[in-house]
Amino acid sequence: MIPVIVAGWLQGARQVPTSHFGPRPRGAAISLVVIHGISLPPGQFGGHFVDAIMTGTLDPAAHPYFATVAHLEVSTHAFISRTGAITQYVSFLDRAWHAGRSSYQGVPECNDYSVGIELEGTDDLPYTDAQYGALIPLVAALRHSYPGIGDRLAGHSDVAPGRKTDPGPHFDWARLRRGLS
């Protein structure tokens, strides 16, 4: 069953709105999904730290690594935990700050026209069955609500090569595409 998106919000997802977003440029159609990987601190899963960085409340003293990233203003549309739970921070209709300086198929500034999905993970570990079980219906719902996406699915490494490596070599693109067919 495909989940329902109403006014840019995924129904049934945990919602933690952030102020880290902006309007999409006039005429920018949603036409790309960018898959990311994140863990805070690096290599550790669980806890509230992803919520904290997405909402600008990450305590730089809580872990030595956080002093290097707590000042960043970042966000994503959706985050999928290792257990498959989905949290949404930004309406799909708005511009989240997930891709940074980026380009896809020659079109710059991917944040303007993409939806960002963060998977809790690292480049050197496989993602969980529960994550694919949540990701596939989410992407199906996005494609249903925003038909311009079509088959346009990319990794952060694809839109910011040389700068980003996520979701990493263990992300199973074939599994995602099979699940969507």
Side-chain angles (χ1 to χ4, degrees):
M1 184 167 121
I2 296 177
V4 175
I5 296 171
V6 176
W9 292 94
L10 181 67
Q11 301 304 288
R14 178 176 165 260
Q15 296 178 359
V16 180
T18 181
S19 61
H20 292 181
F21 73 95
R24 292 187 188 274
R26 185 182 313 266
I30 299 169
S31 60
L32 175 66
V33 172
V34 179
I35 308 293
H36 302 260
I38 187 171
S39 60
L40 287 175
Q44 296 181 27
F45 307 131
H48 69 281
F49 297 124
V50 172
D51 282 354
I53 197 164
M54 296 299 166
T55 58
T57 60
L58 186 64
D59 178 359
H63 186 276
Y65 175 74
F66 295 167
T68 67
V69 296
H71 67 282
L72 299 175
E73 291 185 340
V74 297
S75 62
T76 192
H77 291 95
F79 166 73
I80 302 176
S81 73
R82 302 292 286 178
T83 65
I86 299 175
T87 300
Q88 187 173 358
Y89 300 98
V90 175
S91 165
F92 299 125
L93 299 176
D94 289 316
R95 182 183 187 272
W97 304 335
H98 60 93
R101 293 289 159 246
S102 54
S103 176
Y104 185 71
Q105 295 181 342
V107 181
E109 304 302 336
C110 294
N111 287 341
D112 290 349
Y113 55 89
S114 67
V115 168
I117 301 173
E118 296 274 355
L119 298 175
E120 187 175 34
T122 66
D123 285 4
D124 52 355
L125 288 174
Y127 293 91
T128 68
D129 290 340
Q131 286 178 300
Y132 289 103
L135 177 63
I136 291 167
L138 172 55
V139 173
L142 289 166
R143 289 171 53 180
H144 177 77
S145 294
Y146 312 107
I149 292 170
D151 291 328
R152 293 168 46 93
L153 310 172
H156 201 186
S157 57
D158 299 316
V159 303
R163 187 172 63 83
K164 295 295 180 176
T165 58
D166 58 305
H170 294 283
F171 182 75
D172 192 342
W173 287 102
R175 181 175 182 176
L176 173 59
R177 292 189 189 283
R178 268 192 321 272
L180 293 169
S181 58

